[in-house]
Amino acid sequence: MPITRVQRLAREAAEAAELRNWQTHPDVIALRVERIRGQVDRLCWAGITLGLAFTMANVQSFAAGSSPVWSLPWLTAWLLDPTVSLVLLAILRAEQVTARYQVRTGRWVRSAKWLTLAATYVMNTWSSFASGSVSGVVLHSVPPLVVFAAAEAITEVRDKLTEAASVAFMNAASAQPGSVHEPAQPLPTPRQRPKGRKSFADYLAEAHAAWTPDVTVTPAWVRQVTGCSRGLSSRLAAALIPELNRRSEPGEGDN
């Protein structure tokens, strides 16, 4: 028996509702953000690597000066640019991890990054400045400045991507059941979705209530007991540990 138009529309509506339910699921949104984060990282690392590779020849020429080709000073000059670049790449790699968990680095980290970038810029443009070549200054300024801008921007971009995943999780969790766009039967999910929007204080109170003296507070444990996102769990753990330490101090609660 052929299906009627109403039955066909009902089936299409159910399929659309099921698809939308998964598209707005916090884990699916987090997966999309992680994919975008990976694309951003690869593109930025490619640009930074190419920019530093371009500057290597200029830095070597600056360091070698008038030394004969293949002489010891000429060969040693090739080590200067990798020395600076490797330190810069190490800092950027560390910031890639800290930005993922929204952990702020100290002043020394930023100072070291700026120092390496400034050293690269000066060594690239010094000869052009000395000879008064405007075109040379412009040409040799572009790669270091692009590397500098990318090194500063990528940290903030990673931080905002982590924040975007947290916001998307909160928005998805605040969706009220019973909408006409949702399927009649609940879909199996890795974790139960919260029924309403939960604030940071709500998550913190839930984690505090689940804590016992034999538990070590970690972001993974916070995610397990509250179901919060990965980015939010590190902030909750950082806020919960000092509170627990204060309550465990001698004399607390005696009055």
Side-chain angles (χ1 to χ4, degrees), residues 7 10 15 27 31 34 36 57 69 92 102 107 149 151 153 172 187 189-190 202 247:
Q7 292 174 330
E15 293 176 354
D27 290 337
L31 178 60
E34 288 300 322
I36 295 175
V69 178
L92 295 179
Q102 295 182 320
R107 291 182 299 175
L187 293 173
T189 58
D202 294 333
R247 296 199 175 189

Side-chain angles (χ1 to χ4, degrees), residues 137-154:
V137 171
V138 173
L139 174 64
H140 296 123
S141 294
V142 171
L145 291 178
V146 169
V147 171
F148 179 85
E152 284 296 310
I154 187 60

Side-chain angles (χ1 to χ4, degrees), residues 34-195:
E34 288 300 322
R35 288 176 177 173
I36 295 175
R37 187 200 303 275
Q39 295 172 1
V40 171
D41 282 341
R42 287 191 293 271
L43 291 174
C44 281
W45 278 112
I48 291 173
T49 303
L50 291 175
L52 293 176
F54 179 87
T55 64
M56 182 179 295
N58 297 326
V59 173
Q60 191 276 341
S61 177
F62 168 81
S66 58
S67 301
V69 178
W70 300 112
S71 64
L72 183 60
W74 185 88
L75 293 173
T76 306
W78 284 104
L79 301 177
L80 179 58
D81 185 77
T83 301
V84 178
S85 298
L86 288 176
V87 174
L88 174 61
L89 292 175
I91 295 173
L92 295 179
R93 183 68 181 95
E95 287 186 337
Q96 184 179 19
V97 178
T98 57
R100 180 184 183 89
Y101 298 100
Q102 295 182 320
V103 177
R104 300 299 179 185
T105 55
R107 291 182 299 175
W108 275 106
V109 176
R110 172 155 290 192
S111 299
K113 182 169 63 175
W114 284 6
L115 176 62
T116 54
L117 291 169
T120 301
Y121 178 81
V122 171
M123 290 185 294
N124 267 271
T125 58
W126 184 266
S127 299
S128 299
F129 275 114
S131 61
S133 174
V134 177
S135 60
V137 171
V138 173
L139 174 64
H140 296 123
S141 294
V142 171
L145 291 178
V146 169
V147 171
F148 179 85
E152 284 296 310
I154 187 60
T155 302
E156 184 174 356
V157 168
R158 294 189 189 111
D159 183 70
K160 294 303 180 182
L161 285 173
T162 300
E163 185 177 344
S166 300
V167 172
F169 176 85
M170 298 297 293
N171 291 341
S174 64
Q176 296 296 328
S179 171
V180 295
H181 299 290
E182 295 185 2
Q185 298 296 330
L187 293 173
T189 58
R191 67 167 68 98
Q192 294 296 325
R193 297 173 60 183
K195 295 183 178 180

